Amino acid sequence: MLLWVILASLTAIVLFVLLRPLAGSGDNEPARDAFNATVYRDQLDEIEADRARGLIGESEAEAARLEVARRLLAADEKARGKSGEAKGGALARTALIGVALVLPLAALSLYLLYGSPLLPDQPLAARLTDPAEEKNVGALVARVEARLRAHPEEGEGWDAIAPVYMAGRRYADAADAYGQAIRLLGPSAQRLSGYGQALVLEKGGLVSEEARRALEQALASDETLVEPRILLAIAKEQDGDYEAAIEDWRGLMDREGADERWRAMVQTRIADAEAHLSGTPPPASDATPPGVSGPSAADVAAAQTMSPAERQTMVEGMVQKLATRLDAQGDDLAGWLRLVRAYTVLGRDDEAREALARAKSQFAGNTQAIEQLDALAAELGLKS
């Protein structure tokens, strides 16, 4: 409240300073004109006295009287006009003070009546998690898209919106945006890496030749990037070059500061690749590593490029392991979503529908979980 009082006072001061010239100068011109008129009257008396004493002749006295009388009349007229202006200036100053005071008070009154002066500040964390912020992001994306439709040669816009598309799982749009940014701004490690990742995710995990070239160029520009290394290792697995894939996986494990988020996945991929080379089934594990909820879309897509026997081995080692874990620990919604998607990518729609039904039974009464399962079913075309 005190802040608004201070702002209103500052507004009044600013208005007074800005409007003051309109109120007139406020000088003492009328007093000077009245003094001049008094002087002229004294001069008339002196002229008459000089004529009476014979110091000046009658004609000279008459001429002097006429000139002084003319100046006296002009001074009197000017003094009367300035007096009127002074009165008008006083009225203007009164109006000025009224406007400077009334306008801020009126604005403050309207705010107190219709505003929310007592509403507390919202913490930064609350503002960042406000669902309205997501709507704002959508509105910003729409504005950027409109701008790019009008100015498609603005590379900075494509470069800015590409990661947003990736975060929103709009992989085809992300690949196009990264491609436009590379064309207009030139290739960089981050743009090439993003372009390659978008192409892979658009294909459900399959590393195409175009994606491979982009990832290799990104890695050549910046050897510290991890995502291109992972996807290039998966590409070698898809080509059946397990020895090279193992070498890449172990290179990732040996890197300083290997991230625990993908360390478990790399260990699993190494074991699977070694099993392929030895012709034995991959080692089964009763416990799932923390944070690993089953095969990713990239794992399942990689299985599609293998021979039937290899595919069966990978399915037994990954998809079945996930299904078994979900039978024992069925409260993992993310795991069910991944299992349904994995079955669909492999073309096993009946098993996907069965897993979907089991998941719905597990989360019966959980409205949010059921909505996510229905949304996935609609996305994958599993609606019956």
Side-chain angles (χ1 to χ4, degrees):
M1 181 64 182
L2 179 61
L3 174 63
W4 293 107
V5 173
I6 295 173
L7 292 177
S9 301
L10 292 175
T11 302
I13 294 172
V14 172
L15 286 174
F16 181 82
V17 172
L18 293 178
L19 298 178
R20 187 173 180 276
L22 300 179
S25 59
D27 54 24
N28 57 356
E29 285 293 330
R32 285 200 296 269
D33 292 331
F35 174 76
N36 292 338
T38 302
V39 172
Y40 295 145
R41 290 189 179 91
D42 291 339
Q43 288 180 351
L44 288 174
D45 293 338
E46 291 176 0
I47 292 171
E48 184 60 29
D50 290 342
R51 185 194 65 79
R53 290 196 298 269
L55 297 177
I56 59 175
E58 186 65 31
S59 59
E60 289 85 354
E62 184 64 24
R65 278 197 300 269
L66 290 176
E67 178 61 24
V68 173
R70 183 184 65 79
R71 294 180 182 180
L72 175 60
L73 291 174
D76 284 339
E77 183 178 356
K78 190 175 181 181
R80 286 193 296 269
K82 289 290 180 138
S83 178
E85 290 179 6
K87 294 179 181 179
L91 292 175
R93 283 191 293 273
T94 302
L96 165 63
I97 295 173
V99 170
L101 292 177
V102 172
L103 185 60
L105 291 176
L108 180 60
S109 301
L110 288 175
Y111 175 75
L112 293 175
L113 182 61
Y114 297 103
S116 303
L118 300 180
L119 186 67
D121 292 339
Q122 188 178 22
L124 176 61
R127 295 199 300 271
L128 294 178
T129 56
D130 190 349
E133 293 297 325
E134 298 181 3
K135 298 179 182 179
N136 293 338
V137 171
L140 289 173
V141 170
R143 285 200 292 269
V144 173
E145 289 175 337
R147 173 74 179 181
L148 289 174
R149 283 194 295 269
H151 304 278
E153 298 303 309
E154 289 187 357
E156 292 79 4
W158 294 110
D159 199 32
I161 204 172
V164 181
Y165 283 148
M166 286 286 286
R169 299 185 179 183
R170 297 171 58 178
Y171 302 127
D173 292 333
D176 179 65
Y178 275 120
Q180 295 287 357
I182 291 172
R183 178 179 66 86
L184 296 169
L185 302 178
S188 70
Q190 293 297 331
R191 293 185 193 113
L192 290 167
S193 177
Y195 181 56
Q197 292 178 61
L199 290 175
V200 172
L201 292 171
E202 182 188 4
K203 298 295 184 182
L206 181 64
V207 184
S208 64
E209 188 61 30
E210 184 179 4
R212 189 197 305 262
R213 287 195 300 270
L215 295 168
E216 288 174 346
Q217 293 176 28
L219 199 57
S221 299
D222 186 354
E223 296 182 354
T224 64
L225 295 177
V226 173
E227 292 82 357
R229 291 182 181 274
I230 293 176
L231 293 178
L232 287 173
I234 292 175
K236 292 176 181 178
E237 289 182 354
Q238 293 175 359
D239 293 340
D241 191 356
Y242 295 106
E243 292 183 355
I246 291 173
E247 183 179 354
D248 288 353
W249 292 128
R250 286 177 176 166
L252 272 171
M253 294 290 291
D254 293 339
R255 289 175 60 85
E256 183 178 354
D259 197 326
E260 292 297 331
R261 292 176 297 177
W262 47 261
R263 178 182 286 275
M265 181 273 294
V266 171
Q267 292 173 339
T268 301
R269 303 304 290 248
I270 291 175
D272 290 346
E274 290 176 341
H276 281 292
L277 289 175
S278 63
T280 59
S285 175
D286 295 333
T288 302
V292 178
S293 57
S296 65
D299 297 329
V300 178
Q304 291 180 298
T305 66
M306 300 176 182
S307 65
E310 291 172 337
R311 182 179 300 112
Q312 182 63 30
T313 300
M314 187 172 185
V315 169
E316 291 295 333
M318 301 182 73
V319 178
Q320 187 58 44
K321 183 166 58 178
L322 173 61
T324 301
R325 185 176 66 80
L326 289 175
D327 286 339
Q329 303 175 358
D331 59 348
D332 182 4
L333 178 60
W336 284 108
L337 294 171
R338 179 165 288 182
L339 181 62
V340 172
R341 187 180 294 277
Y343 282 144
T344 305
V345 172
L346 289 173
R348 296 157 63 173
D349 291 348
D350 291 339
E351 294 180 48
R353 291 189 179 91
E354 181 182 354
L356 187 64
R358 289 163 55 199
K360 286 187 175 182
S361 175
Q362 177 69 34
F363 292 95
N366 188 332
T367 304
Q368 185 176 5
I370 296 299
E371 288 177 353
Q372 293 187 48
L373 291 167
D374 288 339
L376 179 63
E379 176 187 347
L380 300 177
L382 296 178
K383 287 286 189 180
S384 56

